């Protein structure tokens, strides 16, 4: 079926070539580097992946049973002090003198009580690869790279939900992909989908592997051969159009490589999700992602100009690349958020911006969370939000403070002491109630300074005190290392996870309070012996509401099935979010983890509309990951 419709996305091949000849005549000498119908071509030459940050063999660089790079992790050294290893992050090699005390006090954890997990992957535990020999023969004929290696398959059998990492540490998944394929261009994806349709196989697209919605888990009941279609080798910028400020990019590129390559030409997208080191452009599209700097650059739906997607029914794309169209419901909105259920996104044209001339961090301390939220509401009302503005509650402030590295300078230590004295003693802020907002301003230097003054003036009206650039920069940096902490916690009987929602402004405070209280109550009822860590931050602001991000963790010593208990508590927290007017998800997506609430979230008719699209585009359920529906 895919073969029949391969050219149907934007009219017949002959009409497309005719339009291309006309357009290319008008655009000769323009800023765009490539206008060619030739398959698998990019700037500078033939098909083949660019040298990306993440290798094809992910196990060469990344942990097999935890977050991030092999050489980067939190540990307790021989002196019992916490430190962060490696040199990839600013925190690398630094001692964190108060972190051990914070963990012991917060969770009742002890360095004497350490769990045991498997040190390496035992390939004998991995389910065997079952692949039809006729399919393998057809696949070999395409010259598309593939692997049936156990490690390759396990690396693509999961995302980063708590239960997935716990399974890797303690056991093995019952079902994993049977084969991994690495297309290097759009045409390769067309061939793979055609073969899957021909042999009735299941495809699960794989981008950066950072899902926290169980989206990458293989359905245990799936009897067909499961193909993990890894887009990582489709990682090139195909062209940059400097006049229209757009770039056409292959969907497998990860965020850090996208920004690095664009930066070499003087541009950026400004899209920086917490996972940007590892998550892919195609994954952002598939989950309707949001970035930390969305106030200036927008969410992914604001950045996308054009999408090309391969489905079992054929190729979906618009016939032109324009900022807006009035041609019925926007087909991009069937693709964005489809979570791998309809096809594979292969190419995306996105908006780009010149690199900002000036960047400045900042922070504000508020006497309490209520004042902080009121300030963010006013900033949003006046539409003067900086690139990033995030407000953490007191528990998260204490958490961040525990991650502060050892101060080498006596003078710096003295200054820190003066700041603390000024805020707590002179200004009367209670250190157990105060909260902090971190800020990031970007743009023209003069405008940034004007913008900064406007935001700080608003903060002053709500009792806020400027707390310096260093705190703002450190808070932003911690975003990229905080995910590593869960792996350390698991070593000492502490399990934790994050989840998020969006909520109207008038419900922010009630939702934050009620969800945290519900978590504490549920833990007590479920027999958790130690008080849980339950905290939140307001991370993105809008005219009509905000995104709220929760962290939740507890000491599971004495609990026989901690993952089951955790999932019951998280389910209750999600019910509380919905009851308080929050959304099912702001940017993590639905996957299989949250799909039980889809009917409640978008209505029975709305769910039926999505099912109808699925049945038309993929009648044989080739893309059978069972997300969303």
């Amino acid at each position: 079926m895919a073969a029949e419709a391969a050219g149907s996305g934007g009219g017949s091949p002959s009409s497309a070539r005719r339009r291309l000849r006309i357009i290319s005549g008008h655009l000769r000498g323009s800023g765009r580097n490539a206008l060619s119908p030739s398959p698998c071509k990019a700037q500078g030459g033939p098909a083949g992946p660019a040298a990306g940050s993440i290798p094809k063999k992910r196990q060469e660089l990344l942990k097999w049973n935890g977050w991030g790079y092999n050489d980067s992790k939190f540990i307790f050294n021989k002196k019992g002090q916490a430190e962060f290893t490696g040199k990839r992050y600013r925190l690398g090699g630094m001692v964190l003198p108060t972190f051990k005390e914070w963990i012991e006090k917060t969770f009742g954890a002890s360095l004497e009580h350490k769990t045991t997990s498997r040190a390496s992957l035992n390939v004998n535990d991995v389910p065997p690869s079952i692949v039809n020999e006729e399919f393998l023969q057809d696949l070999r004929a395409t010259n598309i790279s593939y692997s049936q290696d156990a490690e390759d398959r396990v690396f693509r059998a999961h995302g980063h939900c708590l239960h997935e990492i716990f399974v890797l540490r303690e056991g093995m998944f019952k079902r994993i992909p049977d084969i991994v394929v690495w297309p290097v261009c759009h045409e390769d994806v067309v061939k793979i989908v055609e073969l899957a349709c021909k042999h009735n196989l299941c495809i699960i697209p794989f981008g950066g592997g950072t899902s926290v919605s169980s989206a990458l888990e293989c359905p245990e009941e799936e009897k067909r051969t499961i193909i993990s279609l890894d887009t990582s080798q489709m990682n090139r910028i195909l062209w940059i159009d400097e006049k229209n400020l757009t770039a056409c990019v292959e969907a497998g590129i990860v965020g850090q490589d996208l920004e690095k390559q664009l930066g070499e030409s003087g541009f950026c997208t400004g899209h920086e999700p917490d996972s940007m080191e590892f998550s892919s452009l195609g994954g952002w599209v598939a989950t309707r992602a949001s970035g930390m700097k969305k106030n200036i650059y927008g969410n992914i739906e604001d950045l996308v100009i054009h999408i090309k997607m391969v489905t079992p029914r054929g190729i979906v794309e618009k016939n032109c690349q324009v900022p807006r169209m009035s041609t019925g419901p926007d087909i991009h909105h069937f693709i964005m958020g489809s979570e791998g259920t309809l096809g594979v996104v292969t190419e995306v044209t996105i908006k780009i911006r010149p690199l900002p001339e000036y960047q400045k961090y900042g922070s504000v301390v508020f006497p309490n969370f209520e004042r902080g939220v009121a300030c963010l509401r006013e900033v949003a009302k006046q539409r003067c939000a900086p690139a990033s503005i995030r407000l953490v509650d007191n528990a998260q402030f204490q958490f961040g403070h525990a991650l502060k590295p050892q101060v080498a300078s006596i003078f710096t230590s003295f200054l820190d002491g003066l700041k603390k004295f000024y805020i707590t003693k002179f200004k009367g802020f209670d250190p157990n109630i105060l909260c902090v907002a971190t800020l990031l301003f970007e743009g023209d230097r003069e405008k940034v300074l004007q913008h900064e003054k406007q935001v700080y003036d608003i903060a002053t009206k709500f009792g806020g005190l400027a707390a310096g650039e260093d705190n703002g920069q450190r808070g932003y940096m911690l975003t990229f290392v905080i995910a590593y902490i869960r792996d350390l916690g698991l070593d000492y009987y502490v399990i934790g996870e994050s989840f998020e929602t969006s909520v109207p402004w008038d419900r922010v405070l009630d939702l934050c309070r009620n969800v945290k209280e519900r978590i504490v109550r549920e833990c007590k009822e479920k027999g958790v012996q130690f008080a849980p860590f339950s905290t939140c931050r307001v991370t993105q602001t809008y005219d009509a509401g905000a995104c709220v991000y929760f962290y939740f963790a507890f000491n599971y010593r004495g609990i026989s099935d901690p993952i089951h208990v955790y999932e019951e508590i998280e389910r209750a927290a999600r019910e509380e979010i919905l009851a308080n007017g929050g959304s099912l998800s702001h940017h993590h997506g639905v996957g299989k983890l949250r799909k039980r609430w889809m009917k409640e979230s978008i209505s029975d008719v709305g769910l039926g509309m999505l099912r109808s699209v699925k049945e038309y585009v993929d009648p044989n359920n080739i893309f059978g990951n069972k997300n969303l529906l």
Side-chain angles (χ1 to χ4, degrees):
M1 186 174 289
E4 295 172 8
S8 63
S12 69
S14 60
S15 63
R17 283 194 293 269
R18 186 170 61 252
R19 286 198 300 271
L20 186 61
R21 283 196 299 271
I22 296 170
I23 295 168
S24 61
H26 292 303
L27 294 182
R28 276 196 186 100
S30 75
R32 186 179 294 184
N33 298 48
L35 249 179
S36 168
S38 302
C40 283
K41 296 285 185 180
Q43 287 182 345
S53 298
I54 310 301
K56 185 176 176 180
K57 294 287 186 177
R58 299 173 70 83
Q59 53 268 38
E60 295 172 1
L61 186 68
L62 306 179
K63 295 187 185 76
W64 72 277
N65 64 349
W67 177 263
Y69 298 106
N70 284 321
D71 59 5
S72 302
K73 57 184 176 181
F74 286 94
I75 63 166
F76 288 110
N77 60 29
K78 292 178 181 179
K79 295 180 180 180
Q81 297 174 310
E83 65 177 86
F84 191 72
T85 66
K87 298 179 180 178
R88 297 178 187 275
Y89 303 91
R90 286 183 61 198
L91 203 61
M94 294 186 178
V95 172
L96 312 172
T98 64
F99 191 55
K100 175 177 174 285
E101 181 186 352
W102 180 84
I103 286 182
E104 292 173 338
K105 180 181 176 181
T106 304
F107 297 105
S110 169
L111 299 194
E112 296 175 5
H113 299 123
K114 191 171 183 181
T115 62
T116 55
S117 64
R118 295 187 305 169
S120 60
L121 175 64
N122 185 349
V123 295
N124 294 323
D125 295 336
V126 178
S129 169
I130 302 171
V131 180
N132 180 299
E133 184 58 37
E134 291 182 5
F135 163 69
L136 276 181
Q137 289 179 2
D138 286 347
L139 182 61
R140 291 187 192 109
T142 66
N143 290 320
I144 295 170
S145 178
Y146 72 90
S147 172
Q148 292 173 267
D149 176 78
E151 273 194 306
D152 289 333
R153 292 162 54 225
V154 169
F155 255 82
R156 292 156 183 84
H158 65 89
H160 282 273
C161 288
L162 172 64
H163 70 268
E164 293 171 312
I165 300 304
F166 206 85
V167 165
L168 287 171
R169 291 169 63 97
E170 306 289 335
M172 181 47 61
F173 300 104
K174 294 179 180 177
R175 190 75 170 93
I176 70 170
D178 296 295
I179 186 170
V180 180
V181 296
W182 286 280
V184 298
C185 62
H186 167 81
E187 285 71 19
D188 281 356
V189 175
V190 171
K191 292 172 187 176
I192 293 166
V193 174
E194 287 175 350
L195 290 180
C197 291
K198 175 182 176 181
H199 296 280
N200 189 28
L201 311 179
C202 175
I203 296 176
I204 297 181
F206 183 93
T210 59
S211 164
V212 285
S213 64
S214 301
L216 290 170
E217 282 189 86
C218 298
E220 291 181 14
E221 65 275 16
E222 181 57 74
K223 303 300 182 186
R224 299 174 295 177
T225 293
I226 297 178
I227 302 169
S228 176
L229 193 155
D230 186 329
T231 61
S232 64
Q233 304 307 291
M234 299 167 54
N235 60 1
R236 300 162 300 172
I237 295 177
L238 300 179
W239 48 256
I240 293 173
D241 186 334
E242 297 183 6
K243 288 188 175 179
N244 293 308
L245 287 180
T246 56
C248 183
V249 187
E250 290 180 314
I253 195 168
V254 296
Q256 62 172 315
D257 290 340
L258 175 59
E259 294 304 284
K260 180 182 177 182
Q261 290 183 41
L262 285 174
E264 290 170 356
S265 297
F267 298 102
C268 68
T269 67
H271 188 74
E272 292 187 7
D274 295 4
S275 61
M276 72 168 291
E277 296 168 281
F278 310 109
S279 57
S280 69
L281 173 58
W284 301 343
V285 170
T287 57
R288 291 182 64 88
S290 179
M292 293 182 283
K293 299 193 292 188
K294 76 95 199 158
N295 294 332
I296 288 180
Y297 301 99
N299 292 317
I300 194 65
E301 65 270 22
D302 305 307
L303 289 169
V304 166
I305 295 293
H306 187 265
I307 302 172
K308 184 183 286 188
M309 183 171 79
V310 180
T311 78
R313 184 72 72 168
I315 299 166
V316 181
E317 64 176 324
K318 296 178 180 178
N319 72 332
C320 56
Q321 303 202 13
V322 294
R324 190 177 188 274
M325 296 171 68
S326 179
T327 50
D330 192 338
I331 61 167
H332 284 171
H333 290 284
F334 289 110
I335 298 171
M336 288 189 284
S338 58
E339 299 191 10
T341 60
L342 302 178
V344 183
V345 174
T346 58
E347 296 173 10
V348 184
T349 302
I350 50 175
K351 299 176 187 175
I352 58 176
R353 300 273 192 95
L355 285 169
E357 170 196 327
Y358 188 65
Q359 188 178 69
K360 191 173 184 182
Y361 293 91
S363 61
V364 181
V365 181
F366 293 96
N368 54 49
F369 191 64
E370 292 76 10
R371 294 275 194 96
V373 170
C375 175
L376 264 63
R377 174 66 189 110
E378 184 61 28
V379 168
K381 190 185 293 183
Q382 294 192 26
R383 293 191 172 181
C384 62
S388 173
I389 180 168
R390 298 185 296 174
L391 178 76
V392 301
D393 68 6
N394 185 263
Q396 203 163 137
F397 163 72
Q398 302 285 357
F399 177 32
H401 189 72
L403 290 169
K404 197 166 186 178
Q406 188 169 333
V407 176
S409 165
I410 296 175
F411 180 69
T412 303
S413 179
F414 175 70
L415 285 180
D416 286 344
L418 278 181
K419 290 176 186 175
K420 185 176 180 181
F421 176 83
Y422 177 74
I423 290 171
T424 60
K425 303 297 182 183
F426 188 73
K427 299 299 290 187
F429 284 28
D430 186 336
N432 296 310
I433 297 176
L434 64 80
C435 69
V436 177
T438 57
L439 313 170
L440 171 60
F441 300 88
E442 284 188 358
D444 172 84
R445 187 177 189 280
E446 186 176 339
K447 289 181 180 177
V448 162
L449 296 177
Q450 291 173 353
H451 195 182
E452 181 187 41
K453 183 180 184 305
Q454 184 180 9
V455 171
Y456 279 112
D457 285 347
I458 294 171
T460 301
K461 294 177 182 177
F462 293 91
L465 296 173
E469 291 184 54
D470 288 347
N471 287 324
Q473 188 169 17
R474 200 171 65 84
Y476 203 83
M477 175 271 294
L478 284 177
T479 299
F480 298 107
V481 301
I482 212 163
Y484 287 92
I485 292 177
R486 184 174 68 183
D487 297 333
L488 177 70
L490 286 168
D491 287 340
Y492 296 94
Y493 290 94
V494 175
I495 55 176
E497 186 66 285
S498 63
F499 52 93
E500 42 67 59
T501 185
S502 49
V503 61
W505 280 114
D506 65 348
R507 300 297 303 159
V508 169
L509 290 174
D510 286 344
L511 183 141
C512 291
R513 181 187 63 250
N514 293 342
V515 170
K516 288 190 287 186
E517 289 179 353
R518 179 73 178 269
I519 287 171
V520 172
R521 191 163 66 247
E522 291 288 332
C523 282
K524 192 173 183 180
E525 292 175 2
K526 299 291 187 299
V528 176
Q529 297 177 18
F530 304 89
F533 177 64
S534 178
T535 177
C536 69
R537 68 174 183 254
V538 179
T539 62
Q540 280 108 325
T541 61
Y542 299 86
D543 290 349
C547 168
V548 178
Y549 205 98
F550 291 91
Y551 288 125
F552 158 47
F554 62 84
N555 186 330
Y556 70 86
R557 283 179 61 209
I559 298 175
S560 59
D561 190 353
I563 296 302
H564 175 69
V565 170
Y566 170 81
E567 288 176 343
E568 284 192 332
I569 296 169
E570 185 187 17
R571 192 175 304 140
R574 182 60 58 184
E575 294 280 4
E576 191 69 32
I577 284 172
L578 296 173
N580 281 269
S583 68
L584 185 55
S585 175
H586 171 264
H587 60 269
H588 281 172
V590 176
K592 290 176 273 291
L593 189 65
R594 289 177 275 273
K595 72 177 185 177
R596 74 179 71 207
W597 292 288
M598 276 293 282
K599 182 177 177 180
E600 178 183 348
S601 295
I602 65 172
S603 81
D604 192 21
V605 174
L607 195 59
M609 292 168 68
L610 295 184
R611 286 197 179 108
S612 295
V613 173
K614 168 71 172 175
E615 288 166 6
Y616 174 77
V617 171
D618 187 15
N620 295 317
N621 196 31
I622 299 300
F623 289 89
N625 59 21
K626 294 202 168 181
N627 294 336
L628 288 175
L629 306 174

